[in-house]
Amino acid sequence: GAVVSQHPSWVICKSGTSVKIECRSLDFQATTMFWYRQFPKQSLMLMATSNEGSKATYEQGVEKDKFLINHASLTLSTLTVTSAHPEDSSFYICSATIAGARDEQYFGPGTRLTVT
Amino acid sequence: GENVEQHPSTLSVQEGDSAVIKCTYSDSASNYFPWYKQELGKRPQLIIDIRSNVGEKKDQRIAVTLNKTAKHFSLHITETQPEDSAVYFCAASRGGGYQKVTFGTGTKLQVIP
């Protein structure tokens, strides 16, 4: 149980285009989802906290107009990287917590984004 | 906000030896401390966690200790095996499922056969 999927697993896009990444909780309802970015050989850096039906809370330094997050249902959150640049190339990972349960985050498999 | 420091950044041990990774945190309201193992290109995998009402927790070869007064916690892996080689992250959170988790900088553990 507590499976989180991400789609796509990897994507290559051209500079200036937008790309959407989906995060789904497959067998549970997730009131809260988190989006992380991880550069090579670095830690996971939280980008934003996403709550179903409300606006995402972005971490300091993360451009909310560039990284659009939508949490339209209890099982789906999306991250759209707009006007992508090569420096946005990274590993994007989402996680979700089970509504009503405590603490543990369940991570998606990640999406490798390469911007050329 | 929360700040989690982790040491060492790299650790090499002989197979069968023990490995210890240490973390400190800054937010006295943090009460949930998970540890993750991450293999290259994969998602973090929860290996053990501890909450602030407990000072120590053990699961087979893995143990975690927590000192809330000093704001530090440690991961202990005994009888290390080559498959323990990975990057390990400590983290801290105020708990509750909706609270964000702050990760440490990571420790690359290499177990030498």
Side-chain angles (χ1 to χ4, degrees), chain B residues 33-59:
Chain B
F33 306 93
W35 285 87
Y36 297 94
K37 175 183 180 182
Q38 188 181 31
E39 297 176 347
L40 190 62
K42 298 193 174 180
R43 77 186 86 193
Q45 175 190 359
L46 178 70
I47 56 172
I48 195 167
D49 57 13
I50 190 168
R51 293 178 174 84
S52 60
N53 58 345
V54 176
E56 184 174 357
K57 183 177 180 180
K58 188 174 182 180
D59 183 4

Side-chain angles (χ1 to χ4, degrees), chain A residues 3-4 32 34 36 38 41-44 46 49 51 59 91 93 97 101-105 107-110 112, chain B residues 31-32 36 38 41-46 49 51 89 93-106:
Chain A
V3 178
V4 176
T32 303
F34 302 88
Y36 296 88
Q38 186 176 31
K41 298 186 179 182
Q42 293 189 22
S43 185
L44 282 79
L46 181 67
T49 302
N51 290 293
E59 293 299 298
F91 192 49
I93 308 175
T97 54
R102 294 180 60 195
D103 303 332
E104 184 173 354
Q105 293 195 9
F107 286 87
R112 175 74 59 191
Chain B
N31 58 19
Y32 175 62
Y36 297 94
Q38 188 181 31
K42 298 193 174 180
R43 77 186 86 193
Q45 175 190 359
L46 178 70
D49 57 13
R51 293 178 174 84
F89 293 99
S93 167
R94 291 187 173 187
Y98 53 91
Q99 296 281 3
K100 64 181 181 181
V101 173
T102 302
F103 282 77
T105 49

Side-chain angles (χ1 to χ4, degrees), chain A residues 78-99:
Chain A
T78 60
L79 167 67
T80 302
V81 182
T82 63
S83 187
H85 291 282
E87 56 264 32
D88 297 325
S89 299
S90 188
F91 192 49
Y92 292 86
I93 308 175
C94 70
S95 70
T97 54
I98 297 177

Side-chain angles (χ1 to χ4, degrees), chain B residues 3-45:
Chain B
N3 181 46
V4 179
E5 295 189 357
Q6 182 172 347
H7 300 279
S9 57
T10 60
L11 179 60
S12 291
V13 299
Q14 292 290 331
E15 181 178 358
D17 287 350
S18 295
V20 179
I21 303 171
K22 298 182 178 182
C23 290
T24 60
Y25 63 98
S26 61
D27 184 358
S28 57
S30 289
N31 58 19
Y32 175 62
F33 306 93
W35 285 87
Y36 297 94
K37 175 183 180 182
Q38 188 181 31
E39 297 176 347
L40 190 62
K42 298 193 174 180
R43 77 186 86 193
Q45 175 190 359

Side-chain angles (χ1 to χ4, degrees), chain A residues 9-22:
Chain A
S9 55
W10 61 270
V11 57
I12 301 172
C13 70
K14 292 188 176 182
S15 187
T17 62
S18 296
V19 61
K20 180 185 285 187
I21 301 170
E22 292 186 349

